[in-house]
Amino acid sequence: MISVDSELETVQGEITSVLHQHKDSYVVRLRTDEEKIVTVLIGYGILTGPRLYEGESICAKGGYEYSFSHGDQFQCESVRRMPLSEAHLIVQWLAKNKDIHGVGAQTGKKLIATFKNKLVEVLNKGDIEKISKDAEIAPAKILTLVMAWKMYKGEVASVDYLIDLKFPYQLAMNCIGAWGDKVESMLNFNPYYLSAFWGFSKVDNFVCTRWNIENHDPRRVTAFAEDVLLSRYKYAGNTAMTANDLSLKMREGLGLDVTAIPNEQDIITINEHGDYQAAGPFVMEQYVRRRLEAIRDVKCKFKRKFDQKKLAEYESSLPFKLNPKQKDAVKCSVTNPVSIIRGGAGTGKTTVLEAILAQYSGTQRQVILLAPTGRAALRMTEATGYDAKTIAKFISEVLKNEGADTFHGSVVVVDETSMVDLPTIYSLLSKLPNDINLIFVGDERQLAPVGPGLFFHLIVKDKCWIPQVKLNKTMRQDSTSGIPAVADSILAYKAPNMAPMKKLMNKGCAFREISDAETCFENAAKLYAKLRSRDEDVQLILATRAGVAKLNNLAQHLVNPLHKEKYKTHSVEHANGSRFIAGDKVVYNENDYRKGLTNGALGTVVEVYPEPQLSTVEGVEVTHVMRVRFDDLVTDEIDRGTADIYITDDEFSDEKLSLAYAITCHKSQGSQYNSVIIILDSERLAENSWIYTAITRAKNACYVLGKEIRLIKASTTQSKAAQRLTGIMYE
């Protein structure tokens, strides 16, 4: 419906697609009651609360504006969500149910328009001829619909049940999608099952207004405790909580402790150490342990035999001799079904990996090289000559092929394992057979995974049964470089002895005391510009995202300046204030295998489009805001090389692309740079593993700027990884 209210027009209808969303702003396509398609723009702050979804109905007031690229668009001044109706959910049910072939939303609209609130009664009677004639719909479609209606009658009853309880649209659709015709029985048994879709606080308010729930109801107590456990899991990386910690949270929220959690429930588990775990993390940890033990214990058809002759042949190709630890690591990994190669940056882990792969030359065994990030996978490929891919891509390929290739007898190497979180290792092990050689490579002193768990940090402990070799002789940096000595001091939790920064270095590690934050950032940007002017491979590394954004802006003005008069014609600006110009260094922040991009892929902006360019991709209209040349592209054919990728306005708005003159330490992990500039911009985030990881990203020269007290604190503060509580030990 389109009408005029004073000077404002009103548009009302169903959202057919959400073209763009950023925070609480939207661009949506709306189908009005008159079947007119309208593009609606909803700006920031106009509609708050739960996000809009396809299929939802809204009423918007505003006016039309003309866009050269997109034609007429309706610019909102206010938006109101329409109440959920039975007819609305039925239409959505028809459109989304794949079993009802040929009967979609348009058929549903005709039925609603013809029979209105009598639609359910009409479908229950199932008079195909009458329905077809009255609604002017082909009998074949009505036959399909009536047959499906009888089959899914219970699911339709769920629709009625959810409408009676005044469920929000998306929550209702989630429930139907998850439980089908069992919605009513599931929610009457335990309405807190809704926590699968919402957080406890929101669910609790919703449930208490619809069901008769007492404050100390066991279902409510269990849901609260699970929410606490999952919050700690999501935001702190812990997979378990002590009874005391959980009791403290429960007293704050409910006035109860862990003794109030009922025994007869399957949502919360007390593990062998007496700690509490949500079911999900508990199951994943137990599964990972069982899978590793199964790989260890399986009887294999192939022999795990070390070949001394092949090792000698490989060693003869090197300009140096392998040290005893490196030789031990090769033998350990070849002869054991599961093994670990650990060691600091530059200790020769890649050399050992090459020697291991040489053991399988001329054999039929498949080699699978995996890493958690695209940059780390690219480094493996460049170093070994074997194709490497991210763990996420490997998993997606297995799922795509429905497990057709089971990889029996393969040699599977996981590099940078310290970055791998619990859900990732769980998913990976679920896609691998038992009869393999599984080799974990990493450095447990580096940063803990961004996600939950501490897999690698646990398996390298002395009590773990997995055979391992620790490499301790630094090979990466030249012996005259100060980086190894600084890294060794930090590994010992001692403040490093660093030379004062006086001039640009070819090798070494230097420090400059700068107390004022503004001065520190300005000096770092100027140093970066000087090194870039010498065509050096240099990277700025910080702890905070706010610091990264600020330093990116400063560095950009120095190395890729643009006069303000050209902002409108030669740059594109993001809502967060970042401005992108041709020549900028950028990083992609997600995996997008359709485009061949992985999280951490670096590139250079080739050109920008201040007026987004409209294109058609696979039959869908998209707008591009810039073209980027990535230097580590991964195509579907796994070829790597330089290629140009167009960035859509959706990708841009969702911050899938960022400036990369400066990055966080987590983003740098798995990468190497000739020179690194580290800014100590946080006392809270900088700790031992952070400063160690940052410094060891440098191959030759490392510059550290900031307060000396922060450097000392970072070097001597126990790593946050060691403070995570997990529910399992590999003994």
Side-chain angles (χ1 to χ4, degrees), residues 525 528-529 540 550-561 661-662:
Y528 179 84
L540 290 157
K550 183 174 182 178
L551 195 48
N552 266 320
N553 185 49
L554 290 171
Q556 182 189 51
H557 282 300
L558 291 175
V559 302
N560 194 27
Y661 301 107

Side-chain angles (χ1 to χ4, degrees), residues 230-410:
L230 291 179
S231 294
R232 186 71 65 91
Y233 171 84
K234 181 178 180 180
Y235 298 112
N238 296 284
T239 63
M241 284 183 75
T242 65
N244 287 338
D245 283 347
L246 182 56
S247 287
L248 179 63
K249 290 291 184 182
M250 291 182 67
R251 289 190 193 99
E252 292 173 356
L254 301 177
L256 303 169
D257 60 21
V258 293
T259 59
I261 299 174
N263 294 325
E264 300 300 322
Q265 50 83 28
D266 55 6
I267 296 174
I268 297 171
T269 300
I270 304 176
N271 64 30
E272 57 192 305
H273 308 295
D275 296 325
Y276 285 74
Q277 293 187 266
F282 174 80
V283 168
M284 283 192 287
E285 286 188 334
Q286 295 298 325
Y287 177 83
V288 169
R289 176 164 64 179
R290 290 196 303 270
R291 288 289 293 113
L292 291 176
E293 291 172 349
I295 294 171
R296 175 194 64 189
D297 298 336
V298 71
K299 293 183 179 179
C300 296
K301 295 180 180 178
F302 58 84
K303 294 182 179 179
R304 296 189 174 98
K305 185 178 180 182
F306 172 69
D307 191 326
Q308 179 61 48
K309 183 178 178 181
K310 285 186 176 181
L311 180 63
E313 289 174 355
Y314 170 75
E315 193 173 19
S316 67
S317 68
L318 300 175
F320 54 84
K321 295 291 185 182
L322 296 178
N323 63 49
K325 284 283 188 182
Q326 290 174 318
K327 293 180 180 180
D328 288 345
V330 176
K331 187 173 183 179
C332 176
S333 297
V334 172
T335 56
N336 289 290
V338 186
S339 60
I340 300 168
I341 302 170
R342 52 189 285 227
T347 54
K349 296 190 295 291
T350 301
T351 300
V352 169
L353 179 55
E354 286 183 306
I356 291 170
L357 299 181
Q359 292 281 307
Y360 300 105
S361 63
T363 70
Q364 298 299 312
R365 298 186 63 181
Q366 182 180 8
V367 173
I368 301 171
L369 301 184
L370 304 174
T373 67
R375 294 289 291 174
L378 180 65
R379 276 206 307 123
M380 288 182 79
T381 296
E382 292 172 343
T384 65
Y386 282 77
D387 173 63
K389 63 188 70 174
T390 64
I391 299 171
K393 181 163 180 63
F394 174 77
I395 292 170
S396 69
E397 287 178 347
V398 175
L399 292 173
K400 183 178 179 180
N401 297 326
E402 297 181 350
D405 184 357
T406 54
F407 311 108
H408 290 288
S410 297

Side-chain angles (χ1 to χ4, degrees), residues 119-329:
L119 177 59
V120 172
E121 179 185 341
V122 169
L123 291 175
N124 283 338
K125 288 181 178 178
D127 190 332
I128 296 170
E129 184 177 349
K130 178 175 174 52
I131 297 172
S132 175
K133 182 179 178 181
D134 291 351
E136 297 181 351
I137 300 172
K141 280 192 175 184
I142 301 302
L143 175 62
T144 300
L145 175 59
V146 169
M147 295 289 289
W149 188 262
K150 292 178 181 178
M151 184 182 302
Y152 290 100
K153 199 168 184 179
E155 195 167 303
V156 176
S158 295
V159 172
D160 291 334
Y161 173 76
L162 295 171
I163 291 168
D164 289 342
L165 289 173
K166 295 182 172 58
F167 266 56
Y169 166 74
Q170 188 57 36
L171 183 61
M173 294 304 294
N174 286 340
C175 291
I176 292 171
W179 303 312
D181 59 359
K182 296 181 174 60
V183 167
E184 185 172 356
S185 61
M186 291 285 289
L187 293 181
N188 284 340
F189 177 73
N190 187 354
Y192 285 94
Y193 284 155
L194 292 172
S195 297
F197 313 116
W198 280 352
F200 174 82
S201 178
K202 195 172 182 181
V203 167
D204 194 42
N205 291 332
F206 186 81
V207 166
C208 289
T209 61
R210 289 162 174 80
W211 283 272
N212 184 23
I213 300 290
E214 296 181 357
N215 286 342
H216 294 173
D217 187 298
R219 296 170 297 179
R220 184 171 185 263
V221 172
T222 303
F224 179 86
E226 182 192 32
D227 187 71
V228 171
L229 289 167
L230 291 179
S231 294
R232 186 71 65 91
Y233 171 84
K234 181 178 180 180
Y235 298 112
N238 296 284
T239 63
M241 284 183 75
T242 65
N244 287 338
D245 283 347
L246 182 56
S247 287
L248 179 63
K249 290 291 184 182
M250 291 182 67
R251 289 190 193 99
E252 292 173 356
L254 301 177
L256 303 169
D257 60 21
V258 293
T259 59
I261 299 174
N263 294 325
E264 300 300 322
Q265 50 83 28
D266 55 6
I267 296 174
I268 297 171
T269 300
I270 304 176
N271 64 30
E272 57 192 305
H273 308 295
D275 296 325
Y276 285 74
Q277 293 187 266
F282 174 80
V283 168
M284 283 192 287
E285 286 188 334
Q286 295 298 325
Y287 177 83
V288 169
R289 176 164 64 179
R290 290 196 303 270
R291 288 289 293 113
L292 291 176
E293 291 172 349
I295 294 171
R296 175 194 64 189
D297 298 336
V298 71
K299 293 183 179 179
C300 296
K301 295 180 180 178
F302 58 84
K303 294 182 179 179
R304 296 189 174 98
K305 185 178 180 182
F306 172 69
D307 191 326
Q308 179 61 48
K309 183 178 178 181
K310 285 186 176 181
L311 180 63
E313 289 174 355
Y314 170 75
E315 193 173 19
S316 67
S317 68
L318 300 175
F320 54 84
K321 295 291 185 182
L322 296 178
N323 63 49
K325 284 283 188 182
Q326 290 174 318
K327 293 180 180 180
D328 288 345

